[in-house]
Amino acid sequence: MPFALHGIPVSRGVAIGRAHILAPAALDVSHYLVDEDRLEAEVERLRSARAAVRAELITLKRDLPRDAPEEMGAFLDVHAMILDDEALSREPETLILQRRYNAEWALTTRLEELMRQFDEIEDEYLRERKADIEQVVERILKVLAGAPVLAPAPVPTLAPDGEATPGVIVVAHDIGPADMLQFKHTVFHGFVTDLGGRTSHTAIVARSLDIPAAVGVKNASELIRQDDWIIIDGDAGLVIVDPSAIILEEYRHRQSERALEKKRLQRLRHMPAVTLDGLEIELLANIEMAEDAGAALSAGAVGVGLFRSEFLFMNRRDELPDEDEQFHAYRNAVEAMHGLPVTIRTIDIGADKPLDGRGDDFETALNPALGLRAIRWSLSEPGMFLTQLRALLRASAFGPVRILIPMLAHAGEIDQTLDLIEQAKRQLDERGLPYDPGIKVGAMIEIPAAVLLLPLFLKRMDFLSIGTNDLIQYTLAIDRADNAVAHLYDPLHPAVLQLIARTIREANHAGVPVAVCGEMAGDPAMTRLLLGMGLREFSMHPAQLLRVKQEVIHADCERLSKAVDQILNCYEPDELTAALKQLTA
Ligand code: PEP
Ligand code: MG
């Protein structure tokens, strides 16, 4: 029986495929399809890993001290039995051969199913064996991690007739932003999560991957079963489970229409972003990794407006990246942009972007969104911050770099940050390393207090970038990652509009460059509004750029500015709705 689940739309498009329920344990392993002619070799890879674990267990048992408790030996025997069980041998092999999953993926898929079955067992002794199974799988995965990986096959696409390898859609309770980023080169065609809000970082990353996704689909990971056929309607945030043939047909049609639309948009790639009344608009790219610079260029971005450097720091269990590693990443982005400006934001860690992706000090904070995040954390770790600043400065010797500071609210934070930048410069002078001495330093405007303190920001900073994702969160007191209050997260709330408009107006008046780099900048439904407010720099994911450009080239800023004057005088919802209509009239 078909049924539909409702969530929050975060990434447009239609995905059709089989559900793959992903457990947190599986997030760490790679997922790819193995080439047809390497399937036997992949099975062999798994068998060798199991053989290595078996040898390990035998050695452990042999070397047990004489006085070791009896249970120790029994425990190793249990592990050996689990290792040889069909569930970890024949069944994952079948997944490799029939579905072309890589060994790690096949193994964790089976593990996840076993875990579910065990949760339903009443017998406590048996239920406790769950941990043993997990440990055995961990051992195999460890061996696999050391074994050479066979070349992944190219990502398949679902043919419109549905005859090709079906797409795989990930269904999970939650996916951290860094885990989501790892999915960049995998086979997944869509994402559904139980948790999350429209501008949670997981949603942002899904959007940057240009893969249909719906978040906040409560209980999806419980209601959807492994291998169910599902459709994600990414525009509506709808997930249809077990669709009928007619519904499938309708969505396949939509899929091909969207593919056509994308193709048509490609024509705008080389067209300048100039409005009807002749104003040049800068469309820049938001990137999470240096390698995204290529996508930015091919979408026609005129630079990088936001490089979220924190992704370099996340999901690393051991050390943070040192100065050289960071320098290389920043330099790679700068060089890949061939002389176009690259705005690198200093680490914005905390809230829904914890450092190691799963439980650390940030997650135990009483209220992470209001806690030690972004510049607050950087200033509390000056050694780490100086390392990042030196790396950024060094990259500026290879092309135009601007430094962007997240979440500033206090004059003291600005002073400390600028002092540390000067200190980092002196440290490089002592080492004789080159950098751009006139490097521009900008502030993210994402806390209402910063808007109220604009004269100070305009005096001390070289440029501003409005982070609407956080500005909305902090203005409306809505946790952007919490689906329970997602319906109140409203970019068109009059208070939000006043703050954005004021920032743009005052920056323009002072002659200080101002951009928007929050998700509003990449939403074509917001382009006219922002243009009417006087915005001339938009930074967004490359995948959004051409649709925004399409809006830009049809806009008349003079007319829009009059409509916006009216909008900003509306406080009643009905009046506001009517005034907003003027933008598209
Ligand atoms: C924002 O807050 O709008 C922004 C661009 O930063 P982030 O989404 O990374 O918090
Ligand atoms: Mg922000």
Side-chain angles (χ1 to χ4, degrees), residues 265-329:
L265 279 174
Q266 287 302 317
R267 291 197 213 123
L268 302 182
R269 261 181 61 201
H270 302 295
M271 190 180 267
V274 178
T275 62
L276 287 176
D277 49 341
L279 290 172
E280 261 182 57
I281 307 299
E282 283 189 40
L283 302 182
L284 301 132
N286 288 357
I287 63 172
E288 271 85 38
M289 297 193 295
E291 66 188 64
D292 299 336
L297 277 184
S298 45
V302 295
V304 169
L306 173 65
F307 179 172
R308 288 184 163 98
S309 71
E310 55 275 12
F311 282 87
L312 208 62
F313 292 72
M314 289 156 71
N315 266 16
R316 304 171 60 114
R317 280 146 201 271
D318 33 35
E319 296 285 292
L320 295 182
D322 63 15
E323 182 181 319
D324 275 345
E325 184 183 340
Q326 290 188 54
F327 162 61
H328 285 116

Side-chain angles (χ1 to χ4, degrees), residues 201 204 308 345 353 444 446 467-470 480 517-518:
H201 284 92
I204 290 176
R308 288 184 163 98
R345 180 174 70 182
K353 287 181 289 191
M444 295 278 295
E446 42 190 354
T468 48
N469 308 335
D470 277 316
R480 59 194 263 196
C517 64

Side-chain angles (χ1 to χ4, degrees), residues 269-270 280-285 287 290 292-307 330-344 395-403 436 537 542 545 549:
R269 261 181 61 201
H270 302 295
E280 261 182 57
I281 307 299
E282 283 189 40
L283 302 182
L284 301 132
I287 63 172
D292 299 336
L297 277 184
S298 45
V302 295
V304 169
L306 173 65
F307 179 172
Y330 306 146
R331 189 177 99 174
N332 284 346
V334 171
E335 290 184 338
M337 290 305 290
H338 302 296
L340 294 171
V342 178
T343 309
I344 306 176
S396 72
F398 294 84
V401 170
R402 309 194 303 172
I403 300 179
D436 170 10
E537 257 185 69
L545 204 136
K549 192 189 269 188

